[in-house]
Amino acid sequence: MKLFRIAAALVVAFATAGAVKAASSDDYLTIQLKDGPVVIELLPDVAPKHVAQIKELAKKGEYDNVAFHRVIDGFMAQTGDVQFGDMNDGYDASRAGTGGSSLADLPAEFSSVPFERGTVGMARAQDPNSANSQFFIMFADGGFLNGQYTVVGKVVAGMEYVDKIKRGQGGNGEVSDPDRMIKVTVGRN
């Protein structure tokens, strides 16, 4: 009888754990790239305001067709300029990377989470409190960014597709005829 109670308790524990996991499925972002989907686990406990803003923009479809305007081999791929980076509506290669969204800029949410391969961080101007919609995905470790930029998530599937994003030229990584985020959705799709 005791063994039966332990087995029943384990079944309940696993079922409860599954329910908790299912309840947090909106803490993922799926980015469809030309080569396949990239799944990012968002970190609302680390950067709640930034994660909420990314989710809001994704749910509105603001990130769809937005260019990877700055891509530096061995460093990172930057995207998310919904103002000037939408390749179907108002794309301006000369201004991509300078815009944001109609939402307010965010106060920095720096943390001790390190910038490693697959880490997703928020892009910003010189002012630490200027992040808005743009973000970047690390190709490699970048410890020099630790504590300087807000970490919002990490790639948990599809990093091989991130690795295929077209690289830019020059020191700033500007990309001619850039790849884009075809569709961005909240959840693991």
Side-chain angles (χ1 to χ4, degrees):
M1 188 61 134
K2 186 175 184 180
L3 188 57
F4 176 75
R5 276 187 246 156
I6 292 171
L10 285 172
V11 168
V12 170
F14 283 121
T16 304
V20 170
K21 187 170 179 81
S24 64
S25 68
D26 71 335
D27 287 335
Y28 290 91
L29 194 71
T30 299
I31 302 171
Q32 183 62 48
L33 300 180
K34 68 180 181 345
D35 293 305
V38 176
V39 179
I40 296 168
E41 180 182 359
L42 297 171
L43 303 173
D45 293 343
V46 173
K49 292 176 182 169
H50 287 76
V51 167
Q53 187 138 314
I54 287 171
K55 286 182 186 180
E56 182 176 349
L57 291 168
K59 286 176 181 175
K60 290 180 179 178
E62 296 283 333
Y63 285 130
D64 297 353
N65 295 302
V66 172
F68 282 92
H69 64 273
R70 182 173 181 240
V71 184
I72 301 174
D73 193 35
F75 180 31
M76 60 87 214
Q78 185 172 332
T79 186
D81 183 344
V82 302
Q83 184 176 7
F84 301 117
D86 185 334
M87 296 183 73
N88 284 351
D89 183 21
Y91 178 67
D92 185 342
S94 67
R95 297 183 74 189
T98 64
S101 72
S102 61
L103 302 175
D105 288 349
L106 297 162
E109 293 178 299
F110 298 156
S111 69
S112 61
V113 177
F115 278 89
E116 301 171 332
R117 175 172 164 76
T119 298
V120 180
M122 291 299 286
R124 62 171 175 80
Q126 288 293 105
D127 178 358
N129 301 312
S130 62
N132 186 288
S133 63
Q134 294 185 48
F135 60 90
F136 56 91
I137 304 171
M138 300 295 291
F139 289 128
D141 294 356
F144 58 95
L145 299 175
N146 292 347
Q148 307 294 315
Y149 289 81
T150 299
V151 173
V152 295
K154 62 182 177 180
V155 174
V156 294
M159 192 64 195
E160 67 273 22
Y161 306 129
V162 173
D163 288 334
K164 294 180 180 182
I165 295 171
K166 183 179 179 184
R167 303 308 200 259
Q169 301 300 313
N172 204 28
E174 299 90 1
V175 186
S176 61
D177 190 27
D179 286 342
R180 68 183 79 190
M181 296 186 289
I182 297 167
K183 180 93 177 142
V184 180
T185 54
V186 174
R188 265 188 112 128
N189 303 331

